[in-house]
Amino acid sequence: MPRRGLMPKDRQKGDVSLEEKVMIFVVMASEMFKKNSTAIFGQHGLTFSHYNVLKYLVACEGGRDTAGNVGKRMLVTGANVTGLAKRMEKAGLIERKNDEKDERLTMLQITPVGRKSLDAIREIQEQHISEYMQTCSKEQQEELLSVLKRILRKGKQLAGSKY
Amino acid sequence: MPRRGLMPKDRQKGDVSLEEKVMIFVVMASEMFKKNSTAIFGQHGLTFSHYNVLKYLVACEGGRDTAGNVGKRMLVTGANVTGLAKRMEKAGLIERKNDEKDERLTMLQITPVGRKSLDAIREIQEQHISEYMQTCSKEQQEELLSVLKRILRKGKQLAGSKY
DNA sequence: AGTAAATAGTTTATATGTTTAATAAGCGAG
DNA sequence: CTCGCTTATTAAACATATAAACTATTTACT
């Protein structure tokens, strides 16, 4: 029987390689974390995306950045940011206004309400995350982070210049 | 100044803990992988969800399982499976029919077209995944998988009996 | 200055995914 | 045989995502 590609001879067609298992579990762990986080954020009127935008903005100079940069960070297209930003503005979490120097730019700025929402969530989310991380040592966390960073960088490479 | 919770004294309020960084990168790596995979699957008329359903079904006895079990595997609610399964049936990837023994159950079964789609994607997706995994050793992959499994299990715990 | 190209966002159309709540139908224990 | 449980579907509302077409602005070049 002919063998194709890189499949080890002890792995059958229907089996799943270690490599694929790793990526499957990256995705499943992520999905589970997102769902549990969304449940927490929802109690404070935020979606997972809302939280991440706020979390990013609050770390920016003046609590503001361009729509484009937010999109890059969130790994989504510009059209997406428009809708997301509008919903967040309607919820009072951010403000949108054009940059004074470059009128093409839409600046997104976190509002006091947005900061308050983040504050309300901070402790419980830290606790939530700690639950997951209790399953591994600090050293394992460091290594996990290092590997994930390399995986993400590779992903960006593969995606080209989209993000 | 009072200190609250478990925040180490050398971390400022706006900073991100190692623990949170790990989870952020789990999510970002997952999102990036999903996007790149979706681009590949899209060339064969599949979404990321479609692929995962097919991948699961093909490993099942007779290429079939209940809608409920598929939902559990995909970490989504039943209502979601209904819509997903309908779209996949319309695309000819699966068949839906009631179980003969228990008429409550909706069995989802992969069709020859579904199998062919999977076959068409297999090699390129294996190559795609290998690209990511070239960034770390087999030993690191084993450890990564082991940690992710624990994280996922913890996530399921936290979610209760939903999945 | 004037024009072309590049950049940033928005709009539109479409598809997909998601949750909650209400409903329907079948099964099984008593 | 009927009550309660399980399973799945439906419906409504909304969030997310993409591509393609379009507007407006800036920058580079002649």
Side-chain angles (χ1 to χ4, degrees), chain A residues 71-77 156 163, chain B residues 28 31-32 35:
Chain A
K72 269 178 199 152
R73 162 60 67 109
M74 307 277 296
L75 307 178
V76 298
T77 59
K156 289 189 184 180
Y163 308 105
Chain B
M28 290 189 77
E31 298 295 308
M32 186 57 80
K35 276 178 204 299

Side-chain angles (χ1 to χ4, degrees), chain B residues 8-153:
Chain B
K9 64 168 175 282
D10 59 345
R11 187 159 64 81
Q12 298 297 313
K13 186 179 165 188
D15 290 4
V16 178
S17 66
L18 170 62
E19 295 188 333
E20 181 154 15
K21 271 187 200 159
V22 171
M23 295 314 298
I24 288 173
F25 273 85
V26 168
V27 173
M28 290 189 77
S30 165
E31 298 295 308
M32 186 57 80
F33 174 68
K34 280 170 67 178
K35 276 178 204 299
N36 288 339
S37 297
T38 297
I40 291 172
F41 302 160
Q43 296 172 348
H44 300 270
L46 299 189
T47 68
F48 192 77
S49 295
H50 291 173
Y51 175 80
N52 283 304
V53 171
L54 293 180
K55 190 94 183 175
Y56 171 68
L57 287 180
V58 89
C60 291
E61 177 78 24
R64 60 209 301 278
D65 203 350
T66 66
N69 285 338
V70 171
K72 268 178 201 151
R73 163 59 68 109
M74 306 278 295
L75 308 178
V76 297
T77 59
N80 221 320
V81 177
T82 300
L84 177 57
K86 279 186 176 176
R87 290 191 292 274
M88 290 183 71
E89 186 175 44
K90 193 150 74 177
L93 300 168
I94 63 170
E95 278 184 5
R96 300 158 66 221
K97 47 185 171 183
N98 287 346
D99 187 77
E100 296 164 3
K101 296 175 187 169
D102 187 341
E103 292 282 338
R104 290 171 304 180
L105 303 178
T106 299
M107 301 300 296
L108 306 186
Q109 174 151 30
I110 188 169
T111 62
V113 171
R115 287 180 194 273
K116 203 164 293 181
S117 295
L118 269 191
D119 283 341
I121 290 172
R122 178 171 295 111
E123 266 190 84
I124 183 167
Q125 178 65 353
E126 280 182 6
Q127 183 58 41
H128 177 217
I129 288 172
S130 288
E131 296 274 356
Y132 292 92
M133 290 299 109
Q134 279 169 13
T135 62
C136 56
S137 67
K138 277 277 173 247
E139 290 71 28
Q140 284 179 315
Q141 290 173 35
E142 296 279 10
E143 178 160 0
L144 183 52
L145 180 58
S146 143
V147 173
L148 287 171
K149 278 185 179 176
R150 292 202 294 277
I151 289 177
L152 178 58
R153 182 154 47 241

